[in-house]
Amino acid sequence: MSTPHLPSHPQEPHPIAPRRVSFDWHATPLLWIPDEPTATHVINVLHLLLPAGERWFVKVFKEALPLVRDEQLRTDVKGFMGQEATHSVQHSTVLDHLAHQGLDTAPYTRRVDFLFARLLGEQPPFGLPLTGQEWLRFRLSLIAAIEQFTAVLGDWVLDAEGLDRAGPDPVMLDLLRWHGAEEVEHRAVAFDMYQHTGGPDPARYLRRALGMAVTAPVLLYLWGWGAAYLLRHDPQLAARSRYSLRAHNQAVRKGLLPTWRELGAAIPRYLRRSYHPSQEGSLRTAVAYLASSPAARAAAGAVGRAALS
């Protein structure tokens, strides 16, 4: 593989490290946003996608880590991997909680597992004539594109006053905001990793654009399919409840979901040649939430007690 391009760091380095949080779901209802099944289950799609997806992030980054020549980036990547591994575990516990409440997600998540483990595994699928180098670079471009959306969603959930007004389950809201804050905190790492290992332009930029061209429609499809699956199989709803765009848009107007404009505008920003994800969200807001998050504070306290013992 050719010599990687060293990334530029347009902002002061911020330490990225996993927080070993845990959440107690025993009191969390299935509809954790009261009387809002569509908003609840549109957000719940995160739990369907992220356990397998974030395990895949870590696997791909492990493949690429030996190529990193910049020490600050190497440190950031290791912190990113630790955070993503923790996210995967914590969202998996939500799936267990949903199953305990009678909502079996396995038929959906098996297909997500297949997507990440087989279609996006170490070898190109279907005998595609790609070198190992090019296949790794393409998968890194997908992760960078996905992280663009997770940064936007993370920034949104930190300021989602509509969720606060709706009286959601506080444990679920803390999970979402802890995760969202860490997404903002490490929002530039996947992009910097891709830029560092993606080879020279113009191929590097074209592959970055291709990564977004693949990621955006696939995420939209998976999200719609996932929301429809959850609504249809929720045992507390009327038989075979359906996802509807009308109900989704009503939830958007209430501030329970991000607007289509917020999500769509992330794409042209990302495609600007001068773009860098440090432009996304507020690191100050993210760090402030992490300092107040019940789960993050409990994790920090546990670390402190262990250090003193």
Side-chain angles (χ1 to χ4, degrees):
M1 188 173 279
S2 60
T3 302
H5 289 239
L6 295 179
S8 61
H9 297 286
Q11 59 179 358
E12 287 297 316
H14 173 78
I16 298 169
R19 298 166 180 85
R20 303 305 183 188
V21 299
S22 61
F23 299 89
D24 182 355
W25 300 113
H26 80 277
T28 299
L30 193 54
L31 290 181
W32 55 268
I33 306 176
D35 303 316
E36 295 288 350
T38 295
T40 293
H41 286 314
V42 167
I43 295 175
N44 277 346
V45 176
L46 286 167
H47 313 309
L48 301 180
L49 299 178
L50 293 179
E54 295 191 300
R55 285 195 302 270
W56 175 72
F57 288 4
V58 174
K59 288 179 180 178
V60 175
F61 271 37
K62 281 183 178 178
E63 288 182 53
L65 191 60
L67 306 174
V68 176
R69 300 291 180 263
D70 180 77
E71 286 305 315
Q72 181 61 55
L73 179 59
R74 177 181 290 272
T75 299
D76 289 346
V77 166
K78 289 181 177 179
F80 173 94
M81 291 165 64
Q83 288 188 343
E84 297 290 29
T86 304
H87 298 168
S88 176
V89 170
Q90 295 308 320
H91 285 280
S92 293
T93 67
V94 180
L95 294 182
D96 294 338
H97 179 62
L98 295 180
H100 181 72
Q101 293 184 310
L103 179 47
D104 179 16
T105 61
Y108 182 97
T109 56
R110 279 196 296 267
R111 290 167 172 79
V112 176
D113 291 341
F114 178 81
L115 168 66
F116 288 111
R118 301 295 294 276
L119 296 183
L120 294 173
E122 291 187 24
Q123 301 299 323
F126 313 121
L128 290 175
L130 297 175
T131 65
Q133 176 191 71
E134 185 58 30
W135 181 237
L136 177 58
R137 286 173 171 174
F138 174 67
R139 287 179 294 150
L140 288 170
S141 79
L142 295 179
I143 295 173
I146 294 169
E147 284 289 297
Q148 169 73 349
F149 290 112
T150 60
V152 170
L153 291 172
D155 185 55
W156 172 80
V157 78
L158 288 170
D159 291 322
E161 295 178 358
L163 280 178
D164 293 307
R165 290 192 297 269
D169 175 73
V171 178
M172 185 66 78
L173 188 61
D174 186 35
L175 167 71
L176 295 172
R177 286 183 168 161
W178 155 75
H179 187 168
E182 290 199 342
E183 291 298 329
V184 173
E185 185 178 46
H186 69 225
R187 63 199 185 278
V189 175
F191 183 90
D192 286 343
M193 180 68 154
Y194 173 71
Q195 291 293 99
H196 185 65
T197 59
D201 283 327
R204 180 176 60 173
Y205 173 77
L206 292 174
R207 193 186 306 106
R208 171 156 70 95
L210 175 62
M212 177 57 78
V214 172
T215 294
V218 170
L219 275 182
L220 181 62
Y221 171 76
L222 289 173
W223 223 289
W225 177 29
Y229 177 91
L230 292 169
L231 285 162
R232 189 166 62 250
H233 291 89
D234 186 326
Q236 297 181 8
L237 300 179
R240 301 194 66 80
S241 295
R242 295 182 179 275
Y243 169 83
S244 77
L245 191 58
R246 179 181 179 184
H248 184 121
N249 289 336
Q250 287 174 341
V252 169
R253 287 192 290 272
K254 294 176 183 178
L256 302 176
L257 297 173
T259 68
W260 297 109
R261 180 184 293 273
E262 287 172 310
L263 297 172
I267 299 172
R269 283 200 306 275
Y270 183 82
L271 294 177
R272 291 200 303 262
R273 284 184 176 271
S274 61
Y275 176 77
H276 190 268
S278 57
Q279 303 163 19
E280 297 291 343
S282 167
L283 181 59
R284 180 177 298 178
T285 300
V287 171
Y289 184 78
L290 291 168
S292 64
S293 158
R297 286 171 60 89
V303 170
R305 289 190 296 274
L308 293 173
S309 63

